[in-house]
Amino acid sequence: MSGTSLPFPERIELTGEGLVLRDWTEADLAAMPDLFDHPDIAYWTPMVSPFDETAARARLGRDRQLRAEGTTILLAITVDGRAPLGEVMLRRVPEGAEIGYVIGPAHRGQGLAARAVRVMAAYAFEQLAVGKVILELEAENAASVAVATKAGFRLLDVPLIEGEEKGRPYALQTWGLLPAF
């Protein structure tokens, strides 16, 4: 992180598109395994698997550490500020900001991810004054490609990001969104 980046607020609550994106709390620990302990989440994301209460506590601790460092925020996706349905992440990167998202299996098919990405992108543009928001995803992850498209992102003509995670190779495409103003 450059020395010119402002720290994230201690508390964040974003509203829009019928959603409330809010900080994770200890009260959410019991719900997190139902959201994140799923084979396709283990496959497509760097989240640990199995994702149990110990993993939930570690994730909450990591969330607070990254926020304090000013690099990343993780917010629970809700419709009413209460029960979490998934997570949206914003990380500061040289290009501006990167967004990631996960929706619990029981809550898919409601447009939650695309709406959460649009709300988080608006926050990045309006509050953090970034010049570009990116998503990095695998072309084979049809659900994430659909989210990128629905949220208004365009595939960028940049090299694939290749690596290995959890013993499997991956190649990430970079999708970008510029501010509307």
Side-chain angles (χ1 to χ4, degrees), residues 63-94:
D63 167 34
R64 291 176 176 168
Q65 175 189 351
L66 294 170
R67 168 96 51 105
E69 293 171 358
T71 60
T72 306
I73 53 175
L74 302 170
L75 299 178
I77 299 169
T78 77
V79 293
D80 57 7
R82 293 190 284 279
L85 310 174
E87 175 176 88
V88 63
M89 179 261 330
L90 181 139
R91 175 181 15 246
R92 289 183 165 131
V93 295

Side-chain angles (χ1 to χ4, degrees), residues 47-174:
M47 286 192 171
V48 300
S49 179
F51 195 99
D52 55 14
E53 186 175 340
T54 300
R57 286 191 183 285
R59 187 148 184 90
L60 183 61
R62 183 82 173 129
D63 167 34
R64 291 176 176 168
Q65 175 189 351
L66 294 170
R67 168 96 51 105
E69 293 171 358
T71 60
T72 306
I73 53 175
L74 302 170
L75 299 178
I77 299 169
T78 77
V79 293
D80 57 7
R82 293 190 284 279
L85 310 174
E87 175 176 88
V88 63
M89 179 261 330
L90 181 139
R91 175 181 15 246
R92 289 183 165 131
V93 295
E95 301 88 344
E98 176 189 355
I99 294 177
Y101 44 87
V102 175
I103 303 299
H107 309 292
R108 295 179 184 163
Q110 303 172 45
L112 296 170
R115 291 186 286 153
V117 166
R118 287 191 295 263
V119 171
M120 190 65 97
Y123 173 77
F125 291 132
E126 296 164 12
Q127 300 300 314
L128 304 179
V130 303
K132 183 191 296 181
V133 174
I134 63 168
L135 304 174
E136 295 175 346
L137 51 98
E138 294 182 63
E140 297 81 17
N141 187 341
S144 280
V145 170
V147 168
T149 303
K150 288 178 189 172
F153 284 70
R154 299 185 68 165
L155 182 60
L156 302 179
D157 186 17
V158 298
L160 293 173
I161 301 163
E162 297 181 299
E164 187 174 310
E165 180 90 29
K166 299 180 189 173
R168 80 170 185 90
Y170 64 80
L172 302 175
Q173 298 176 325
T174 303

